[in-house]
Structures are given as C-alpha cells and as structure tokens.
Amino acid sequence: MATETEAARPRADHGGTPPQDGTVGDGARKGTPRGSRKQSPGGADKDASSGSLVARLRGGHLIGTYGLFGLTLLLFVIFALALPDTFPTMDNASSILSNQSIPAILALGAMIPIVTGKFDLSVGYGLGFAHVLAMQLIVNSGWPWPIACVVVILGGGIVGVLNGLLVEFAKIDSFIATLGTGSLLYACTGWITDGARIVPGPGGLPPAFTDLYDSTFLGLPVPAFYVLALALVLWLLLERLPLGRYLYVIGSNARAADLVGIPTRRYGIYAFAGSGLVVGFAGVLLAAQQQIGNPSVGMDYLLPAFVGALLGSTAIKPGRANAAGTVVAVAILAIGLAGIQQLGAEFWATSLFNGGTLLLAVGLAGYSARRRLRAGASATRRSLSTPGTEPAAEPAAEPAAEPAAEPAAEPAAEHPAPAVIGSSAPGPSVTSVTAASDDDAPHTP
C-alpha cells in the first residue's frame, strides 16, 4: 500500500489523477490529456485582467477618435454661455463659416503631402501668388474670369509637380525644397504687382466672380459647402481608393512600399500636385473675397493651415492625417478664435492661440503614436506569455526509450527533415522517426 502511495505521489505532482480505488493510476492518467485539464484559479484573474486591458484600450481609442470633436462642442457651449447674445446666433455662425473657409481649404491641401510623410511649406506663398495672378489676369489683362480661374488652378498644380520633382527625384528635403519654391513664388508675386496692390477699376470685378465667395446656399455661405465637398472628395480618395492606401503606406514606410512594388516617386508627385491644385483653388476664392491683389496676404494663412492639418491627425483617425479630422480641427480653431475675439482679446491673441494650438497638436500626435506603440507591445507580450496547446497525450513519450533513442542520434544528422518533423510532432511521429532510423542504421558505414 505504501508502494502504491509513493508511485501515485509524483504523478499527482505532474498533474495526473491520484488513484482513488487502490489501482496504480496509469489508466486515469492516460485517459486525461493535458489539454483537457481544468482551468486553474489564476486563469480567471488572467481573463479579468485581459478584459480590463481591452476596456482600457477601447476607452483610449474612443477618446483619441472623438475627443477633439467633443472638445469642439464643449468649447462652443462655453462661449455660448459666456456670450449668449452674440455667439450662439445664425449671423455669427455664418461669419465663422465664411471667414474660416479659406483656411480650411488650405489645411486640406497641406494635409495631402503630410499623408506621405512630407511637408509643403509653399502653401502660404502659393496662396498669395495664386490670388494675385487671378487679379492680374482679370483686372489688368482683361481675361474672362472662368478662364483666369482655370489657369490659376492649373498653375497651382504645376507648382505642386515642381515640388514633387524636387523632393522625389532631386532628393531635396521637403522642408528645404518647398521653402525654396515658396520664396520663388513670393518673388514672382512681387514682380507681378511691383510691390503694390492690384485694385479693380470703377466697374469692379465681374459679379459672377465675386459670387463664388459672397453667395449663399440654404442660408449658409457657399464657401462652407466648398469645404465639405473638398473634404468628401479627399475622404473618398484616401479612405476608399487604392490611391489613398498607397499614399498611407508610403507615409508609414516608404522603403517597404518600394519593396512591394508601389511607385513611391510617382505617388509622391501626385500628393504635391494635389496640394498645389487645392492651393490654386483657395487663391481664386481669396481673390473673390479680397477683391484686390495684396502681395503680402498669403503668409498669414500658413500657420493656421498647418495647425489644422497636424491637429486633425489626432482625431477621427488618430495617428495619421485625414480629411474628417482636419475639418474638426479647423472647426475648433474657428470657434476658439471667434470666441476670444468676441471676448475682447488683444490683436496678438490670434497668433498666441495658433502657436499654442500647434504645439498642442504636435504633442498630442506624439502621445497618440507612443500610446499605440505601448498598446501593441503590451498585446505582443501577453500573446507571447500565454501558454500554447500542449501535446494531446503523454503515453506517446514512453516508447522512445533510451536504447532506441541512441541509435537514432547519428542518422538524424544525415536526415534533417525527418528529425525536424519528429521533434515538432507529438506522440507516434517520434516512434516513426525511430523506426526509420533503425532501418537506415545497417547502411551507415
């Protein structure tokens, strides 16, 4: 009886079932594979911790996705309560939509190269050049305004292609290349205007041209619908078409995109060309709004454009530039600027707000990227620490006794494939490898 107890004790230590009816317990142990053991009490704790981790990740994802949109609504409510007579009115909403439409369009244009990991610093200079060129063609050259608008927009696309060629083929950093082309555009603006403003004659500009900006639709300014239409087009291109997927892959890892066969140079030029076309369109609207050609007005829009594009990468699709997030970012900038101006802020408060928001945008983008990396690393560690499925049966290890294992050692070096299969497969495959080694043994010199 003592012998049976001693024989059963080590098997119980290894997870076997101790004998209950006086038998040695082999049958009970053989009938209970390791994969069907009951879950230990710690398994529930692991499941609970895993569920809490998933809940935290889901909560963080929701905050990162819709946090900026919620902050926009909160900011609107705060200013509405502080300024109940002026801020929550239709006139104020129309004014915000009208004044912020051009910065929103320019932010959407600056967002396109950011998708590929590049920056276009020429958008401000390009805006000034485009609106001056439009005024020059309409006022001084007497061109029909539709032809002048088309030429200006196509000219913006040509400037974008030039930026793309400098970045992709000349291998000049996007900051330096676009800053250089922007300086050239500023020089061209000064050459066209001779440093003075272009003022229309007594008849003014064609009414159809000014209506591009001044008209309304459904009680709202038409430029607001331009922003929505452009955002919808960019959303379709970036989120639903292969073009957008290629651009995102290039922005994530250009080397990997090149290895999988994506023509990175061509799509990089496409991104800059798209930005130039959008900048040309924004220049036409600026000419219709200002109704004069001011050679120094474009640079005022550079910082708001990049603030909107960078801040938009922290919303809706956190961690990457996207059209919907850019629209939300421009909305929060517009509400914030309108609110502080109506509260009587000084003239320098606008630059302070834009600069602080830009720093906040870059900080939030970096934090979002680090949070995703930590979440991915944590999920990887948990997947590696989770034990895999163990062999289904233990008795298969018993036939591989020591006398049969020794002669199988030498043939294993000559037949590597069966040895690998036998080492990875449980149970009977070990026996088959041993038998094959015994058959080959007499032929070994």
Side-chain angles (χ1 to χ4, degrees):
M1 190 67 177
T3 303
E4 295 176 356
T5 306
E6 292 174 356
R9 184 176 296 120
R11 293 171 182 166
D13 295 339
H14 289 285
T17 305
Q20 302 294 333
D21 54 355
T23 61
V24 178
D26 290 341
R29 185 169 64 87
K30 294 178 181 178
T32 306
R34 290 186 179 181
S36 60
R37 293 176 186 169
K38 293 183 178 180
Q39 186 178 10
S40 61
D45 297 336
K46 290 181 180 179
D47 293 341
S49 61
S50 177
S52 62
L53 177 62
V54 171
R56 289 196 301 270
L57 291 177
R58 185 175 301 171
H61 176 72
L62 292 176
I63 294 175
T65 302
Y66 303 107
L68 191 64
F69 182 74
L71 183 60
T72 303
L73 296 179
L74 178 62
L75 196 63
F76 179 83
V77 171
I78 291 175
F79 284 123
L81 294 177
L83 303 165
D85 297 331
T86 58
F87 194 82
T89 60
M90 193 63 182
D91 292 338
N92 183 52
S94 299
S95 177
I96 292 176
L97 293 175
S98 177
N99 293 332
Q100 297 301 320
S101 59
I102 295 177
I105 293 174
L106 203 63
L108 290 171
M111 176 209 69
I112 303 174
I114 294 178
V115 170
T116 64
K118 307 295 192 305
F119 293 90
D120 187 0
L121 297 182
S122 67
V123 293
Y125 301 99
L127 179 69
F129 174 74
H131 103 280
V132 163
L133 180 61
M135 293 297 299
Q136 175 70 18
L137 295 178
I138 296 174
V139 175
N140 295 333
S141 299
W143 286 27
W145 70 267
I147 299 178
C149 293
V150 172
V151 169
V152 170
I153 295 174
L154 293 179
I158 294 174
V159 173
V161 171
L162 175 62
N163 286 330
L165 292 174
L166 292 174
V167 173
E168 299 297 338
F169 285 91
K171 295 300 179 183
I172 303 176
D173 185 81
S174 61
F175 280 97
I176 305 301
T178 56
L179 188 60
T181 55
S183 298
L184 294 178
L185 291 174
Y186 189 67
C188 293
T189 302
W191 172 65
I192 291 174
T193 61
D194 198 18
R197 297 184 177 184
I198 299 177
V199 181
L205 295 173
F209 176 70
T210 57
D211 286 344
L212 293 176
Y213 185 87
D214 293 335
S215 58
T216 59
F217 180 72
L218 299 177
L220 296 175
V222 168
F225 294 96
Y226 297 156
V227 176
L228 293 179
L230 180 60
L232 180 61
V233 170
L234 291 178
W235 177 78
L236 290 174
L237 290 176
L238 296 176
E239 303 291 340
R240 291 293 181 267
L241 295 179
L243 171 64
R245 298 190 184 98
Y246 293 160
L247 295 180
Y248 278 122
V249 172
I250 294 171
S252 177
N253 193 328
R255 178 58 178 166
D258 195 21
L259 290 176
V260 299
I262 298 176
T264 56
R265 291 181 177 180
R266 185 198 308 169
Y267 284 99
I269 295 175
Y270 289 166
F272 281 102
S275 175
L277 290 173
V278 174
V279 171
F281 177 67
V284 170
L285 290 182
L286 183 62
Q289 178 198 32
Q290 300 284 332
Q291 299 184 14
I292 58 172
N294 189 351
S296 61
V297 73
M299 288 305 300
D300 297 335
Y301 292 86
L302 178 61
L303 186 60
F306 273 92
V307 171
L310 293 176
L311 187 60
S313 64
T314 64
I316 309 301
K317 298 285 186 180
R320 66 178 189 178
N322 62 94
T326 302
V327 172
V328 174
V330 171
I332 193 173
L333 291 175
I335 292 174
L337 288 175
I340 62 177
Q341 288 174 358
Q342 292 184 24
L343 287 174
E346 298 291 337
F347 67 94
W348 45 263
T350 300
S351 299
L352 177 64
F353 183 80
N354 288 331
T357 308
L358 177 62
L359 295 177
L360 178 63
V362 175
L364 288 177
Y367 170 75
S368 177
R370 291 191 298 270
R371 183 174 60 85
R372 289 197 314 275
L373 288 176
R374 287 196 299 267
S378 176
T380 302
R381 286 195 300 269
R382 291 182 64 86
S383 62
L384 292 177
S385 62
T386 303
T389 305
E390 297 182 3
E394 290 183 0
E398 294 179 357
E402 295 181 358
E406 291 178 356
E410 294 182 359
E414 299 181 3
H415 304 279
V420 172
I421 298 174
S423 61
S424 62
S429 59
V430 177
T431 306
S432 62
V433 172
T434 305
S437 301
D438 292 339
D439 293 340
D440 295 339
H443 302 285
T444 304

